[in-house]
Amino acid sequence: MISPTLSIPGNPPSDLWVADLDPGWLETLAQEHDRVAVLADEDVHRLHGSCLGSLQERATHLVPPGEACKSFDQLQAALEFCATNGLSRGSLLITLGGGATSDLGGLAAALFKRGLTVAHIPTTLVGQVDAAIGGKTAIDMRAGKNLVGAFHMPRAVFADVRLLRTLPPVELQAGLGEVVKCGLLGGKEAFAQLERDAADLVAGDPDALRRAVLLGAGLKVEIVKEDPREQGRRKLLNLGHTFAHAIETCAGHGTVPHGIAVAVGLQMALRASRAKKILTDQALPERLEKLLRALGLPSNLDDLQLQKTPTTGDLWRAMAHDKKGAVGKPEFILLKDLGAAEWGVPLDQALVGELWNL
Ligand code: GLY
């Protein structure tokens, strides 16, 4: 097996390959385990099952596409599959699909016999730059998304941008929202790279996509190495997310794709940073707007063309219940400069209300 692109040390280490996937690598990984099974999004498996090479013949559990797989019923079915196929703590579960598939498969792997090895083959841009990396796993409850989960670091993540070819355009766009977040957190050169690559990213150019995955995944690996359980710096990866979650809640879950809500959330975070006078480059919100537009992403609530625009009161209430903050007290991440941010910042309801309406 060639050397991974990036690695998070630990026992076992978590290795990330950003490359054209060679099925031989999966076979090498499989040989380190007593048994191998696959958990895959049923649509993705139909389109890309062949990327598994000979492992396609191993026991395979298909799950519904998207967020629908993140339920207690689906978790139980995944665990029954592990039991029926005699998996042990020495076994390997490979997931094939987007962030929802790796969330479910990762959680089943964390729970079955108190933990077996998991490796992810993310097939969405969000999965490749974010969801499959760093060991967060979860299913949803009626009370909210991702409320039941565990940290369970994958042994390996294989990010092959050729798998993004079949991604619906809206999913590519949503992934670009998370990539822009990484550009803001990554620094001046990271942001400038996205500005240079914007047109190629929209066109799905594989080289530009590989650079974007390296940018996002590289930032995430660096942060997760330092703070695997989100005690501090990992919170930065939620830049724009308090606003985004409020938009998703008010619009009704599933109405606005997460990464698209994140795009608006990023612009809100920058406006808040300017209003609080912590942003050094006052022109950054306008520069961000230009980049978002070049990527076909929205930068304010009106761009989302929701059936009913939420009031600032609705949005504030949703933010007050965001699971990332203390109860009733929304917390925000504000940007000081490209590559420099702070987390846990409280904001006044009045100020946030003004920013939504800009
Ligand atoms: N998606 C943010 C994180 O994994 O921390």
Side-chain angles (χ1 to χ4, degrees):
M1 197 174 332
I2 62 156
S3 301
T5 314
L6 298 158
S7 202
I8 302 176
N11 188 19
S14 184
D15 292 338
L16 169 77
W17 277 261
V18 181
D20 292 353
L21 175 59
D22 178 337
W25 304 346
L26 296 175
E27 277 151 31
T28 308
L29 191 62
Q31 279 159 16
E32 294 170 13
H33 297 86
D34 61 7
R35 227 162 242 198
V36 180
V38 175
L39 183 145
D41 172 315
E42 59 192 16
D43 287 351
V44 173
H45 191 262
R46 202 168 40 247
L47 293 166
H48 296 296
S50 60
C51 78
L52 295 163
S54 65
L55 299 189
Q56 242 183 310
E57 278 128 49
R58 304 298 177 105
T60 300
H61 179 63
L62 298 180
V63 301
E67 204 69 18
C69 78
K70 290 175 59 175
S71 69
F72 281 100
D73 284 353
Q74 289 293 332
L75 177 64
Q76 181 168 5
L79 293 169
E80 298 287 358
F81 162 78
C82 294
T84 310
N85 287 285
L87 301 193
S88 77
R89 278 193 198 160
S91 302
L92 170 69
L93 184 68
I94 298 178
T95 76
L96 175 69
T101 311
S102 55
D103 273 3
L104 171 72
L107 183 56
L111 295 175
F112 189 68
K113 297 192 175 169
R114 300 199 179 90
L116 51 81
T117 306
V118 70
H120 301 304
I121 308 175
T123 59
T124 60
L125 187 53
V126 176
Q128 295 190 355
V129 296
D130 188 18
I133 302 165
K136 278 190 186 173
T137 74
I139 58 168
D140 302 333
M141 289 179 71
R142 267 198 289 275
K145 281 175 66 174
N146 296 331
L147 291 186
V148 177
F151 284 97
H152 188 61
M153 202 63 91
R155 167 69 187 81
V157 176
F158 299 95
D160 180 343
V161 297
R162 294 174 307 172
L163 298 171
L164 306 179
R165 265 188 225 136
T166 48
L167 206 58
V170 66
E171 293 233 22
L172 186 72
Q173 259 186 329
L176 290 173
E178 292 285 354
V179 169
V180 173
K181 173 197 81 181
C182 299
L184 289 167
L185 293 172
K188 291 188 170 53
E189 177 43 35
F191 196 78
Q193 173 191 316
L194 297 180
E195 290 178 317
R196 281 193 303 275
D197 278 349
D200 289 337
L201 286 167
V202 172
D205 174 71
D207 291 331
L209 283 170
R210 212 171 285 115
R211 282 193 289 276
V213 171
L214 270 171
L215 186 165
L219 176 86
K220 182 145 186 190
V221 165
E222 186 215 311
I223 289 178
V224 171
K225 266 187 203 172
E226 184 185 314
D227 178 22
R229 296 180 77 89
E230 202 173 308
Q231 300 298 302
R233 193 169 165 229
R234 186 165 178 171
K235 292 178 200 274
L236 294 182
L237 294 171
N238 296 316
L239 179 67
H241 282 55
T242 309
F243 298 106
H245 291 153
I247 294 171
E248 291 174 83
T249 304
C250 292
H253 282 291
T255 311
V256 181
H258 174 66
I260 292 190
V262 166
V264 178
L266 293 174
Q267 188 58 280
M268 287 292 293
L270 256 64
R271 286 181 194 160
S273 309
R274 182 162 63 186
K276 292 291 282 182
K277 301 196 182 345
I278 72 157
L279 188 65
T280 35
D281 178 356
Q282 297 291 300
L284 200 54
E286 285 68 38
R287 203 171 147 197
L288 173 65
E289 175 156 359
K290 204 165 155 214
L291 175 61
L292 292 173
R293 298 225 179 275
L295 293 170
L297 285 163
S299 74
N300 59 48
L301 264 185
D302 286 346
D303 291 340
L304 293 173
Q305 297 186 322
L306 300 175
Q307 269 188 341
K308 182 174 169 288
T309 304
T311 64
T312 52
D314 294 337
L315 290 159
W316 182 261
R317 271 186 293 283
M319 286 189 281
H321 288 102
D322 194 273
K323 70 176 187 307
K324 307 267 187 203
V327 177
K329 274 198 185 156
E331 285 180 355
F332 299 85
I333 294 140
L334 298 188
L335 208 71
K336 296 192 263 193
D337 199 353
L338 288 171
E342 57 186 70
W343 65 83
V345 184
L347 292 176
D348 290 345
Q349 180 172 359
L351 171 71
V352 174
E354 281 168 31
L355 300 176
W356 283 114
N357 294 320
L358 285 182

